[in-house]
Amino acid sequence: MSSSNGKLESRIPAGALDEKWAKRKSELKLVAPNNRRKFTIVVVGTGLAGASAAASLGEMGYNVIVVCIQDSARRAHSIAAQGGINAAKNYPNDNDSVFRLFYDTIKGGDFRAREANTYRLAEVSNNIIDQCVAQGVPFAREYGGLLANRTFGGAQVSRTFYARGQTGQQLLLGAYGALMRQVDAGRVKLLPRREMLDLVVVDGVARGVVTRNLITGAYERYAGHAVLLCTGGYGNVFYLSTNAKASNVTAAWRAHKRGAFFANPCYTQIHPTCIPVSGDHQSKLTLMSESLRNDGRVWVPMKAGDKRPPNDIPEEERDYYLERKYPSFGNMVPRDVASRNAKMVCDEGRGVGPSGLAVYLDFRDAIQRDGIETIRSKYGNLFHMYEKITGENPYQVPMRIYPAVHYTMGGLWVNYDLESTVPGLFVLGEANFSDHGANRLGASALMQGLADGYFVLPYTLPGHLAGRKLGDVDTDHEAFKAAEKEARERTNKLLAVKGSRTVDSFHRELGLIMWNHCGMARNRKGLEEALQKIPALREAFWKDVRVLGEGEDLNQELEKAGRVADFMEFAELMVRDALHREESCGGHFREEYQTEEGEAKRDDENFRYVAAWEFQGVGKPAELHKEALEFENVELTQRSYK
Amino acid sequence: MSESTMKLTLKIWRQSSAASAGRLETYELDDVSSDMSFLEMLDILNTQLIEKGEEPVAFDHDCREGICGMCGCMINGKAHGLERGTTLCQLHMRKFNSGDTLVIEPWRAKAFPLVKDLVVDRSAFDRIIEAGGYISVSTGSAPEANGLPIPRDCSELAFDAAACIGCGACVASCKNASAMLFVSAKVSQFALLPQGQPERQRRVLRMVEAMDNEGFGNCTNEFECEAACPKEISVSNIARMNREFLGASIKAT
């Protein structure tokens, strides 16, 4: 492993924190309205980031081509976000501000994000709420008709805007509506059921993509002057996660192989409140919104192995461990802290339920205090969902919850303008690495996706379009032909294996390696073991995977096989990143590096940097590049939520 | 609730493409856990088919938590199965009994052409939204969010309509294959909100026209759509859309 930092230029503007974005905007070049139609922008993905960016660019007058994997742009996985979206409006008058939102976010990220990016995120947060309300997003309101707020983890103010337990759905439908308006206007060409299989780079600049039409199997080429990757996170490398089944790393990974550096891949978020695994048949995990921790109390029995039904365990024999250990934040500690503590009590043998891998989230006291109707109006849909999945009534018995993979803070490296190390390739939303550091606070993912798409990229993209000489490139260019050929060969290779094992069986096995060795807690021995197991599994996959059918029609096994093949390569990078980072921070918990109380122990002297990895070939260690993180406005402290 | 295992007989619609003939194939499945979701049961079937060298059943799905609207098929003639207010992915096998025979078919509607097995093309819904299922507000031009107080009841009613996930169960369950519940939900959301007023008439006229062009049938007040809707969207939205359409049509003439 060699390292250098020559290739990373973050382009963070000089000057005071609160003037950086204004300064950058004033420097950026513009494209005049009547010239915009001469530029074509290719957008991959229609979640909050992709839909908001594509709609905004269409409104400005660019030609936009959008591809998405689902049958409709409205189904991207942003739709499943439940709890809310943060903004620094300070409507509740509880002394919130842009600075506080910035500070909570950067501290929540365990000081592993860029100050400038995180501040900008907080700065534009208020515009997002304005935009969404104008689109008709039905946020929760008070009787006086004004917007309501609630509290989320890692904050001591109420700054989260929400739409029942369906905030992601309502925000996405707003962005999807804006996108469809541009389709109607002829500015956006929308192509669903396409999977990006390669990025096309011409003269060092991203100029398009190769996709496979999932219905006809046809390979298609789309050329433009810039490519926007808005393809979400890679949590499904664990097989079991709260991500949608089609969520994958393929688009990001193929871009990585074409020169985009991958940053901090080991930063994964394990969400504390998910429904526990019930059996081997399990295909995905379901999140129960963090907002439930506003009223639910987390506990386990005092004694290990206490198998009594929860309601038979008297008050004095319950351990409300978060309230006990973190009196000022209590049940509202950030996600990484809550998850780690759940694991600790289960490791002590105090876990509950048939598997012993669960803790209680109890609404008994909230129901007594506020009445069942109040609780129903706040969380009715979540309680309903819980009952459907588990067959238990959470109004009567406490919910059982356990941490599950939920979000990935790592992603393709981007500079302040959201541009990757491949010029012309911009990366937005969860697919980039930039704003959340080593742990993301609740209600910040929606904020970042929409900030990037509505209010950052539309300003920074013209810097590329007007700032570089972009020659004419069409889809007959050699680079397109070569990329398509490679994509075809890869697909044919998968079909030609004709082995004996299903794609899912390989994916499950990979997921288990990752969960056991690179999950909630990691150590050198386990990570080194994973580095042995992954290449062996990858080899077995290419020798023995069974993909039936042909490549010329809808073939869902073939789609999965391509994605799992990429996860098999990506997993190795993730483990290497976890191994090299010899500290604990946020969601990356290395057992060797913890405080006496079992909290994450950072090493700011040696690891206060972004690890950006450059691809060197499959199975070959990637080259590490370091971007030092400068903190001029916050003091690096041991995070405390006590 | 304790886990049990069950045996099922599945009769599943198999059709390799829109152009080829389809048929119901029978599969026997043992050891289905009562804790599985319906889609996990199909996963098990597909694993067995692949192991036998047979092509797995194609079906649409994504989030598997009842919100993306991608999944859906008919179980014994009911869209998303018998349980009210539930998508296919949230339907669990404990709702069935060992020994049951389940007939599993795709959505059937002229406007939803079949793609393969249980997968249909619902792009007609996107084209209807394209015709006006939004408020025209370009990025950057929004006023301050609290500048416009909206009565809570009005906002909640709009939300009830906005909860639609676009799965198409309403169309599949209707004997006329009408899309009125889907279209009226979007029309209602914006007709109820002050932000939606400037385009109120144009929106309903254009969306209804788009709906008609796609070949959806008319509403004859059977209310099967409401019964099948996984988000329990009320048919009162259809009544509202009819009023909106009538009012807008009169003004337009």
Side-chain angles (χ1 to χ4, degrees), chain A residues 134-136 173-185, chain B residues 126-137 186-187 189-190 195-196 199-200 202-203 206-207:
Chain A
Q135 288 169 346
L173 293 181
Y176 159 78
L179 179 67
M180 297 315 284
R181 174 171 163 245
Q182 293 311 303
V183 173
D184 183 49
Chain B
D126 286 319
R127 290 188 291 274
I128 294 171
I129 297 296
E130 191 186 318
Y134 42 77
I135 289 168
S136 297
V137 49
K186 200 39 83 179
V187 166
Q189 179 192 346
F190 295 137
Q195 304 96 306
E199 294 169 290
R200 186 171 175 174
R202 174 183 144 89
R203 176 181 303 114
R206 285 191 70 204
M207 288 182 76

Side-chain angles (χ1 to χ4, degrees), chain A residues 150-154 269-274 287-298 321-323 326 329-339 359-363 366 369 379 382-383 399 401 439-442:
Chain A
R150 64 182 170 200
T151 316
F152 249 62
Q269 176 160 84
I270 317 281
H271 195 293
T273 51
C274 299
L287 176 78
M288 289 280 103
S289 168
E290 176 167 327
S291 62
L292 291 167
R293 288 195 273 146
N294 268 305
D295 287 301
R297 298 180 69 195
V298 177
Y321 57 90
L322 291 177
E323 298 173 25
Y326 308 98
F329 281 72
N331 293 296
M332 298 308 285
V333 292
R335 291 173 176 178
D336 55 335
V337 178
S339 290
V359 300
Y360 291 124
L361 179 62
D362 199 339
F363 291 87
R369 184 186 67 225
Y379 311 114
L382 298 169
F383 278 41
M399 286 184 177
I401 54 163
N439 173 59
R440 181 178 63 74
L441 288 186

Side-chain angles (χ1 to χ4, degrees), chain A residues 238 268 513-522 527 574-575 578:
Chain A
F238 292 91
T268 47
I513 295 173
M514 297 306 282
W515 181 247
N516 288 339
H517 301 305
C518 198
M520 255 193 289
R522 301 143 179 203
L527 291 165
M574 193 166 151
V575 171

